[in-house]
Amino acid sequence: MKVLVTGGAGFIGSHIVDKLIEKGYETIIVDNLSTGKEENINKKAKFYLCDITDKNTLNEIFKTEKPEFVIHHAAQIDVQKSIKIPAFDAFVNIIGTVNILECCRDYNVKKIVYASSAAVYGNPTTLPIEIEHKTNPISFYGISKYTPEFYIKTFSDLFGFKYTILRYSNVYGIRQDPKGEGGVISIFIDRLIKSQPLIVYGDGEQTRDFIYVEDVAEANIKALTNGDNKTLNVSTNTSISLNKLIETMFKVAKKQVEVIYKEERKGDIKHSKLSNVLTKKILNWNYNHSIEEGIYKTYYHYSNLGM
């Protein structure tokens, strides 16, 4: 089977590509390398340098490769950037996805797996967040990740190809860039290794459901053959406060640094924990890394590189 992965040189996408290659899938990567990195590209995959907003080039790639499946991860993922430049955020995440869907329609793709986000829920009224929880995004990023879900479902209804939408909790792990769009764990690990202070926006009591990147990659592989026309959470169904997270990191690293608290940022959700009960059942999947195990693997990977 041939699978095309958009954003396949990026943090999550590159781990998905590695698993696809390992399992014998013929794999195509489409990435503009704006945040993805050449060193993340699996040598056994075919790589195209292309932006998903470039409809003509994208069309030529699909015409040449004719993939059976698409795993769509290319996106603008920075919440704060979405608030500063909402038009760019919408252009990449909404128009870019529509371009992908038109290619899926035109070249008879069997199924698309789409990386959505917990940001679509906004501030939850109940925890854990079930898939039926109301959606009320509080950032433009949340809106731009949610809107393509409607396009995907409607394209599927009109043109017959299948989909699975995966709403991620907070993904972390090896290859996550601590600069720019990096998640809090990658930023903290980078600063901890460099013995720099950790910056917390708010009081540190905000909670998140952190999931290790390899577990997310495995959910994407499972979604190729399971979960047709379903929307599912990919999460651990557990949560930890940033303060507790910092304690755990200090314990794993066997060192401590100063923690500086600053004013909380707009668009950030206070508490998040996603239910994964349905996902486990439908995808025949489960996460394999506790927060301690994931932090250990990530911290010692980068500390051994001498960062």
Side-chain angles (χ1 to χ4, degrees):
M1 288 194 288
K2 187 183 281 192
V3 184
L4 185 148
V5 182
T6 72
F11 165 46
I12 303 173
S14 64
H15 283 277
I16 292 168
V17 169
D18 289 349
K19 280 192 179 289
L20 287 167
I21 298 288
E22 187 184 302
K23 292 175 187 291
Y25 289 92
E26 187 178 352
T27 309
I28 314 299
I29 296 170
V30 170
D31 201 300
N32 68 357
L33 297 182
S34 60
T35 55
K37 296 178 180 177
E38 284 189 51
E39 58 262 36
N40 291 345
I41 298 171
N42 191 304
K43 299 289 188 290
K44 293 181 180 177
K46 192 167 183 181
F47 172 67
Y48 288 93
L49 181 65
C50 174
D51 194 299
I52 59 170
T53 62
D54 180 354
K55 189 176 178 180
N56 292 333
T57 304
L58 203 58
N59 186 73
E60 287 302 312
I61 294 167
F62 273 79
K63 186 178 179 181
T64 301
E65 297 295 341
K66 295 181 175 60
E68 296 169 79
F69 299 89
V70 170
I71 298 178
H72 178 31
H73 272 70
Q76 191 299 115
I77 62 166
D78 189 329
V79 172
Q80 298 306 314
K81 190 171 184 177
S82 82
I83 291 169
K84 290 173 187 170
I85 322 171
F88 174 74
D89 179 73
F91 184 54
V92 175
N93 292 353
I94 299 173
I95 301 303
T97 301
V98 172
N99 290 342
I100 295 287
L101 290 168
E102 288 189 328
C103 289
C104 289
R105 174 198 65 196
D106 294 344
Y107 297 100
N108 301 313
V109 167
K110 292 177 181 176
K111 184 173 185 180
I112 183 168
V113 179
Y114 170 63
S116 188
S117 168
V120 307
Y121 295 115
N123 284 309
T125 54
T126 57
L127 290 173
I129 303 170
E130 304 289 346
I131 207 72
E132 299 84 10
H133 188 286
K134 70 173 182 179
T135 47
N136 187 28
I138 61 170
S139 67
F140 298 123
Y141 168 72
I143 295 168
S144 73
K145 291 302 287 184
Y146 187 39
T147 303
E149 293 190 13
F150 291 98
Y151 277 96
I152 289 164
K153 290 172 184 176
T154 306
F155 264 85
S156 175
D157 288 342
L158 292 174
F159 305 112
F161 57 82
K162 296 171 183 174
Y163 68 85
T164 301
I165 294 166
L166 301 176
R167 293 176 177 166
Y168 298 161
S169 61
N170 290 67
V171 188
Y172 72 98
I174 294 164
R175 298 181 194 159
Q176 188 171 35
D177 192 341
K179 299 168 185 69
E181 299 169 357
V184 67
I185 289 181
S186 66
I187 293 168
F188 282 180
I189 284 178
D190 182 59
R191 296 185 73 84
L192 190 53
I193 289 169
K194 294 172 180 173
S195 298
Q196 296 172 343
L198 308 185
I199 311 298
V200 175
Y201 296 95
D203 61 8
E205 287 306 302
Q206 60 266 50
T207 59
R208 292 291 181 271
D209 181 340
F210 291 104
I211 184 163
Y212 192 65
V213 64
E214 288 180 17
D215 295 327
V216 174
E218 187 61 32
N220 277 266
I221 306 301
K222 295 276 192 181
L224 291 174
T225 51
N226 298 286
D228 288 351
N229 300 348
K230 299 289 185 184
T231 301
L232 301 166
N233 290 327
V234 178
S235 63
T236 65
N237 200 16
T238 61
S239 62
I240 186 172
S241 71
L242 290 195
N243 289 331
K244 187 67 179 172
L245 174 71
I246 290 167
E247 279 181 36
T248 305
M249 294 176 86
F250 287 170
K251 185 179 175 183
V252 167
K254 298 183 175 134
K255 68 183 284 191
Q256 295 188 25
V257 295
E258 183 186 4
V259 181
I260 298 170
Y261 293 88
K262 294 189 175 182
E263 189 179 346
E264 63 182 77
R265 301 181 299 187
K266 291 180 180 177
D268 284 348
I269 295 160
K270 186 71 176 172
H271 298 291
S272 185
K273 179 170 75 169
L274 273 59
S275 172
N276 62 13
V277 175
L278 243 141
T279 314
K280 286 179 177 181
K281 182 181 176 183
I282 291 173
L283 293 188
N284 189 28
W285 165 91
N286 202 355
Y287 74 96
N288 292 314
H289 296 81
S290 69
I291 188 71
E292 292 84 4
E293 290 168 329
I295 287 173
Y296 183 91
K297 284 177 80 166
T298 308
Y299 179 82
Y300 284 101
H301 173 82
Y302 286 112
S303 60
N304 290 335
L305 290 178
M307 285 182 65

